[in-house]
Amino acid sequence: MAQATPLMPHATATWLVDHTGLSFEQIANFCGLHILEVQAMADDLAASKYTGRDPLHSGELTQEEIARGEADASYELKMQKAPVEVTRTKGPRYTPVSKRQDKPDGIAWILRNHSEISDAQISKLIGTTRNTINAIRERSHWNIQNIQPKDPVTLGLCSQRELDAVVAKAAKRAGVAEGEAPAEEVVVDGRSDKDKLIAELRAEREANVKAAAEAAQEAEAEAWLEQKREAEAAGEAPIDPESAFADAPSQGAADETEDEDTPPA
């Protein structure tokens, strides 16, 4: 089983380099670092400067253990007291200091675009308090003039998956399933059976009249095409469709003319 490393390995290595005669290899093995990292610390070539952390104070090493290591360069230091694992307690979502100023913008965006999300969900998603949410909603926030609604995913306050999950949960709670179309409004017909029957007969008659008109147009078109073919076969000039039908009086008009020329009995 691998030996536990100090809670702050780089800071512990810096202290051991400055305050003990241990070899770089011994310090590197104890702290779980590469020997070149330890040597860079000793030569002040490390990119980051660490403040030393005393492993004697934390109980990770004892003076006797350090003395054994200094007396024998091949001796491997043993952890006397493993550091306690640090775990976060339940609480608001942690947000880096550099992004905390963006929280009001993210809250304003959620309030504007997803009003179905509860304050508790916003508080957990963004890592804020209900007082701040209410202040932004009521526009009583001290910096309300500079708050611009921005997508919290773009601001880095949460991931797109987390936001989608919260939105879906809030929509389900509100009774609107995601992607579900609103139910169509049912129109109640208050007409009597007699009125419905009359409307059906009228619609049927209009459909028959329309069908008859279309059939007449098709018959006229076929007659004109037949006359055109006969004229072309006889070598005559093609017949103008408009004059062909305009010059030919309808049967009704012929009957009326005949009635007018015939004297009364």
Side-chain angles (χ1 to χ4, degrees), residues 41-261:
M41 293 177 188
D43 295 337
D44 290 334
L45 299 177
S48 301
K49 303 298 180 182
Y50 297 95
T51 301
R53 175 178 179 271
D54 185 357
L56 300 176
H57 179 73
S58 62
E60 294 172 348
L61 281 178
T62 61
Q63 190 62 52
E64 291 76 10
E65 187 71 11
I66 293 176
R68 293 192 189 97
E70 290 175 334
D72 183 2
S74 61
Y75 179 77
E76 294 186 2
L77 299 174
K78 295 180 176 57
M79 178 72 67
Q80 302 300 307
K81 180 182 177 182
V84 179
E85 183 179 357
V86 179
T87 58
R88 284 196 67 223
T89 58
K90 291 185 178 180
R93 180 191 185 93
Y94 177 78
T95 305
V97 178
S98 60
K99 296 185 180 296
R100 292 179 186 177
Q101 60 184 0
D102 298 330
K103 284 185 179 183
D105 295 342
I107 296 171
W109 186 90
I110 294 177
L111 293 176
R112 185 184 68 178
N113 295 280
H114 297 287
S115 57
E116 72 276 9
I117 298 180
S118 65
D119 291 356
Q121 290 175 312
I122 298 176
S123 178
K124 185 177 181 180
L125 180 67
I126 302 297
T128 185
T129 62
R130 297 192 179 186
N131 291 336
T132 302
I133 298 172
N134 289 329
I136 296 175
R137 179 185 291 111
E138 298 170 0
R139 301 190 63 79
S140 60
H141 192 274
W142 65 273
N143 196 32
I144 193 63
Q145 299 299 330
N146 297 322
I147 294 178
Q148 299 293 332
K150 297 179 182 178
D151 190 343
V153 177
T154 304
L155 296 174
L157 299 174
C158 64
S159 66
Q160 187 65 53
R161 179 177 298 179
E162 292 172 333
L163 179 61
D164 292 343
V166 171
V167 171
K169 186 176 181 180
K172 184 177 181 180
R173 180 178 300 176
V176 180
E178 184 178 2
E180 180 180 352
E184 295 181 0
E185 183 178 358
V186 178
V187 179
V188 179
D189 192 352
R191 296 179 300 174
S192 64
D193 294 339
K194 180 180 178 181
D195 293 338
K196 293 179 182 178
L197 179 58
I198 293 174
E200 291 178 1
L201 292 175
R202 184 180 291 112
E204 183 178 354
R205 184 179 61 185
E206 292 175 354
N208 292 336
V209 172
K210 183 178 179 181
E214 292 176 353
Q217 291 178 357
E218 292 179 359
E220 291 177 354
E222 291 178 358
W224 175 80
L225 288 175
E226 185 65 24
Q227 292 178 4
K228 181 181 178 182
R229 294 192 189 99
E230 293 176 357
E232 290 176 350
E236 299 177 358
I239 301 174
D240 184 9
E242 295 184 358
S243 62
F245 293 108
D247 295 338
S250 62
Q251 184 65 31
D255 294 344
E256 291 179 359
T257 305
E258 184 179 74
D259 293 341
E260 291 177 356
D261 295 339

